[in-house]
């Protein structure tokens, strides 16, 4: 039986990945930072909270990572923990750098120290492309991050690549484009929209305040994307991969799909609030997942309409 250690196990991807690995027969250990209230709602939603083992630790506390690795002896580490919300990264830039950036070298160093044979997945991000000149982004596209979050992810990306080249470690970057689900944090735009749709239907909300609705994203389903993380660590050699659907849509188009699904017109509810504009924006993300398809045999299974409908259904159910 293989053991996987997941940092960020209480997050969206951590929960789906834990379920995926448990279903494959893995022993799954989650690194669990101390919090003052319960953060297990996603693991509860998937009915796996009791099947995961937990090790207390924080990615900014190197010794807690050393202990977690020594005690649990994982074969694979999935490093998902991060301050992952772009908008917050301007409000807490130093924390973002420490958690999302330095956290990566902490886990790499801990692996090097305890057992350099452990395979490691780094949750890199399409936000690294930022203000890109290319209409479609691949593994070769130049990075131009536009937020403290994006900058921190670029640091983590290069550290991951550097440890592969310097110490021959099995470390992979998954450059994942936006991926969503009913377990997405409420602060992200897709979930903010689907939650609002459900509340409007229930008569609990009248308007939906949004910022830049012309930004374009390549949105996929988190449940599909965790399989790609696992596939990367099953290859004969480590590498970096873009994981995306290959379709882009504006925030406005996403809204239209969500409101249309319940028979409403988004234009009757959406209010543009300039306070929600970001200091710098990433206007267009569109991934080319050709390498993942040819090398990993991976493609996205869920399209944007299916994803949005799934999220609206889940939020309607929650509001009930
Ligand atoms: P979430 O924000 O849902 O989850 C983040 C996780 O990190 C939570 O479990 C959180 O714990 C944990 N965490 C935060 N700070 C620390 C810390 N100091 N020590 C230990 N754990 C910590 O993110 P997602 O699941 O959506 O994303 C997973 C990873 O993938 C992140 O690195 C993200 O940046 C990256 N990514 C995500 C994309 C997406 O579209 N979802 C796209 C590309 C990359 P707690 O619950 O206690 O706060
Ligand atoms: P990101 O791509 O990781 O930043 O994911 P988000 O879901 O937070 O944002 C996606 C896009 O939606 C960005 O271009 C935001 O500027 C835009 N957006 C517009 N209005 C909102 C809003 O109210 N909340 C969020 N989170 N994003 C918004």
């Amino acid at each position: 039986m293989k053991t996987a250690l997941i940092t960020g196990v209480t997050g969206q991807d951590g929960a789906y990945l834990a379920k995926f690995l448990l279903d494959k027969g893995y022993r799954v250990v989650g690194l669990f930072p101390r919090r003052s209230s319960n953060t297990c709602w996603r693991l509860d939603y998937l009915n796996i909270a009791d099947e995961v083992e937990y090790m207390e630790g924080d990615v900014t506390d190197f010794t807690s990572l050393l202990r977690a690795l020594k005690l649990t002896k994982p074969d694979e580490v999935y490093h998902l923990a991060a301050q992952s919300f772009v908008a917050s990264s301007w409000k807490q830039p130093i924390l973002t750098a420490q958690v999302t950036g330095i956290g990566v070298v902490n886990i790499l160093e801990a692996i090097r120290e305890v057992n350099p044979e452990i395979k490691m997945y780094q949750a890199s991000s399409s936000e690294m492309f930022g203000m890109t000149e290319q209409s479609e982004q691949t593994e070769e596209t130049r990075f131009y991050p536009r937020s403290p979050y994006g900058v921190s992810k670029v640091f983590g990306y290069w550290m991951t690549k550097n440890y592969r080249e310097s110490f021959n470690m099995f470390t992979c970057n998954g450059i994942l484009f936006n991926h969503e689900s009913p377990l997405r944090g409420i602060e992200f735009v897709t979930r903010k929209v689907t939650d609002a749709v459900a509340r409007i239907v229930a008569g609990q909300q009248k308007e939906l305040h949004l910022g830049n609705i012309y930004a374009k994203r390549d949105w996929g389903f988190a449940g599909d994307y965790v399989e790609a993380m696992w596939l990367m660590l099953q290859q004969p050699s480590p590498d970096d991969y873009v994981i995306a659907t290959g379709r882009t849509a504006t925030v406005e188009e996403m809204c239209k799909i969500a409101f249309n699904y319940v028979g409403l017109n988004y234009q009757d509810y959406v209010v543009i609030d300039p306070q929600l504009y970001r200091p710098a924006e990433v206007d267009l993300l569109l991934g080319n997942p050709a390498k993942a398809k040819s090398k990993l045999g991976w493609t996205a299974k869920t399209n944007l309409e299916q994803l949005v409908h799934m999220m609206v259904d889940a939020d309607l159910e929650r509001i009930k």
Side-chain angles (χ1 to χ4, degrees):
M1 187 202 268
K2 277 197 197 172
T3 298
L5 176 73
I6 304 177
T7 72
V9 74
T10 55
Q12 170 187 257
D13 292 8
Y16 280 109
L17 179 65
K19 170 133 183 54
F20 177 86
L21 295 174
L22 286 166
D23 289 346
K24 286 226 168 286
Y26 275 66
R27 169 182 168 235
V28 176
V29 183
L31 186 82
F32 201 88
R34 195 263 158 189
R35 298 287 191 252
S36 65
S37 45
N38 189 353
T39 50
C40 280
W41 65 274
R42 294 182 171 100
L43 298 163
D44 288 334
Y45 190 96
L46 298 178
N47 269 318
I48 53 167
D50 295 337
E51 292 178 61
V52 174
E53 288 174 38
Y54 302 96
M55 279 293 303
E56 185 167 331
D58 189 293
V59 298
T60 60
D61 182 338
F62 176 70
T63 54
S64 73
L65 300 178
L66 269 186
R67 249 189 313 279
L69 292 175
K70 277 185 187 157
L71 291 173
T72 62
K73 298 188 170 50
D75 302 281
E76 298 169 2
V77 169
Y78 295 86
H79 181 51
L80 311 182
Q83 190 302 93
S84 71
F85 187 41
V86 171
S88 289
S89 78
W90 281 282
K91 294 175 180 142
Q92 302 186 59
I94 297 167
L95 175 122
T96 302
Q98 278 163 348
V99 176
T100 308
I102 300 292
V104 182
V105 70
N106 280 342
I107 194 88
L108 285 164
E109 273 295 282
I111 292 172
R112 184 157 82 101
E113 199 62 29
V114 172
N115 174 11
E117 298 296 309
I118 296 170
K119 297 180 178 181
M120 190 264 216
Y121 170 85
Q122 160 60 10
S124 285
S125 165
S126 56
E127 285 290 320
M128 300 188 303
F129 297 122
M131 195 163 70
T132 180
E133 307 108 15
Q134 274 177 252
S135 57
E136 204 182 58
Q137 296 90 46
T138 71
E139 292 78 5
E140 309 307 321
T141 303
R142 190 166 75 93
F143 298 144
Y144 191 144
R146 292 277 280 169
S147 62
Y149 170 81
V151 173
S152 304
K153 284 287 181 189
V154 171
F155 175 83
Y157 170 92
W158 282 112
M159 276 293 174
T160 301
K161 211 172 165 84
N162 183 264
Y163 272 55
R164 181 159 85 218
E165 294 171 359
S166 305
F167 306 118
N168 206 22
M169 283 165 54
F170 197 113
T171 58
C172 300
N173 282 292
I175 307 173
L176 270 56
F177 282 62
N178 296 49
H179 46 281
E180 321 292 313
S181 73
L183 302 184
R184 186 62 145 151
I186 198 88
E187 64 276 30
F188 293 89
V189 77
T190 53
R191 185 70 209 296
K192 183 173 172 182
V193 170
T194 61
D195 174 70
V197 165
R199 285 177 194 280
I200 288 166
V201 168
Q204 295 177 8
Q205 189 172 326
K206 292 201 161 51
E207 293 178 338
L208 168 59
H209 288 238
L210 292 176
N212 175 15
I213 58 169
Y214 304 111
K216 290 182 159 181
R217 290 291 181 276
D218 178 333
W219 280 294
F221 171 47
D224 294 345
Y225 284 33
V226 296
E227 184 185 14
M229 300 176 186
W230 175 77
L231 282 169
M232 286 177 214
L233 298 196
Q234 313 314 310
Q235 301 309 305
S237 51
D239 206 343
D240 307 319
Y241 299 89
V242 160
I243 301 297
T245 69
R247 168 180 166 190
T248 195
T250 60
V251 171
E252 184 177 26
E253 283 159 351
M254 183 268 148
C255 275
K256 194 172 173 188
I257 296 169
F259 280 86
N260 278 358
Y261 184 52
V262 295
L264 298 176
N265 181 351
Y266 76 99
Q267 287 166 321
D268 295 336
Y269 301 94
V270 169
V271 175
I272 301 302
D273 181 350
Q275 297 229 24
L276 293 167
Y277 292 159
R278 294 175 174 182
E281 182 60 277
V282 173
D283 294 322
L284 165 73
L285 290 176
L286 171 59
N288 178 344
K291 180 175 173 184
K293 187 173 183 190
S294 69
K295 298 252 166 79
L296 303 177
W298 180 91
T299 46
K301 298 187 185 80
T302 312
N303 70 28
L304 183 60
E305 285 74 15
Q306 291 167 324
L307 171 65
V308 173
H309 295 171
M310 179 201 313
M311 292 174 70
V312 172
D313 282 338
D315 279 322
L316 286 168
E317 193 59 33
R318 280 192 183 104
I319 298 297
K320 252 203 282 178

